[in-house]
Amino acid sequence: MTWSAVLLVTAVVWAVSVIRSVRLRALVYSLPLPMTLALVTTEYRVDGAQVLGVLGLNLFFVTVAVTHQLWRWPILLADVAGIAVYVALSAGLLAVDIPFEVALAVTLVLWLAAILWLRRRARRHGASADEAVAVAETRPDGLPVLLKLVVIFVGAVLTALLGAVLRGMVVTFPYSGVLVAVEARRQLAEFSRHFARNSLALVGFLTAYHYLQDVSSAAALGAGWAAFAVVAAALHLPLRPRQVAHARAASRPPRALRPATEPQTPTGLP
């Protein structure tokens, strides 16, 4: 990867580090900026392996979340475990020739199954998870801005060097994800859930790019970003009315606890 890619990764991770909303963090991270630079600066094509690489991105965050939050590993060691899982998956995907349509179908089925499972799990643990995220979002991370920027830059250089050995899977390598996981370490489970939903937009980006990459790279990138925008909007916009309705319903007291209405005095009586 080029120095421009390193600087872009640094900018993305720094932007994520100053955002307190977990949902917005996941959306900013899911922007296909590193993918775009990887495709522009290399000659790799988007095929079935790269689409399955989106699952590898999710598997990276799941691995970090499990090892750090459940097994209590230090966050840097959990990051190494996540990278190892992604590299192992990449080696397996590069060893076989996977037709794009087959990879796309598998990815969509697994994405839908994961989303249904995550929603069911969120309903069971919704209250405690929301409280934990609210507390985490108010905690300062303690690093001065300039020092944080230097640390992020050094980390971006190291991950760029590692990503250079992955051949075609460099397109979906979690460059900024390695550092974002450190920044979002107090909200990894919630961040992973939001990113899992947003990752469908990355599948849309790669799909549009795949079918137009033989026309021109510019047309493929334009179509990819358009597909990403459309899918991301479809994922987020329809949820707002329901979220507002659920929030209003949750804020209302139970019917049995609502104060009775005061009887009205009949007209003409004192």
Side-chain angles (χ1 to χ4, degrees), residues 57-236:
L57 284 174
N58 285 280
L59 191 57
F60 165 80
F61 279 108
V62 170
T63 302
V64 176
V66 170
T67 53
H68 179 61
Q69 293 187 332
L70 294 183
W71 298 353
R72 304 300 181 184
W73 289 15
I75 186 59
L76 294 181
L77 187 58
D79 251 345
V80 172
I83 293 174
V85 168
Y86 181 87
V87 171
L89 176 66
S90 299
L93 293 176
L94 292 173
V96 295
D97 184 17
I98 306 173
F100 182 84
E101 287 73 16
V102 173
L104 180 60
V106 170
T107 300
L108 292 177
V109 170
L110 292 178
W111 179 86
L112 181 59
I115 292 301
L116 292 176
W117 181 79
L118 287 171
R119 285 185 177 178
R120 189 179 301 113
R121 186 174 182 274
R123 291 191 188 101
R124 292 199 302 264
H125 304 89
S128 58
D130 289 343
E131 291 175 1
V133 170
V135 171
E137 287 180 355
T138 60
R139 289 180 183 173
D141 50 26
L143 287 179
V145 175
L146 291 179
L147 177 59
K148 180 186 294 186
L149 199 57
V150 171
V151 172
I152 290 172
F153 177 77
V154 173
V157 173
L158 295 177
T159 53
L161 294 175
L162 176 62
V165 303
L166 291 172
R167 293 184 288 163
M169 295 305 293
V170 74
V171 174
T172 52
F173 180 73
Y175 290 102
S176 54
V178 174
L179 302 171
V180 166
V182 177
E183 286 293 329
R185 59 192 177 277
R186 297 190 184 100
Q187 312 127 318
L188 275 174
E190 186 73 5
F191 181 90
S192 300
R193 183 168 67 87
H194 287 297
F195 175 70
R197 186 177 67 172
N198 294 335
S199 63
L200 184 63
L202 294 177
V203 175
F205 172 87
L206 293 172
T207 301
Y209 188 95
H210 169 78
Y211 285 110
L212 288 178
Q213 62 187 341
D214 291 329
V215 177
S216 73
S217 59
L221 285 174
W225 274 93
F228 175 88
V230 170
V231 176
L235 288 172
H236 288 272

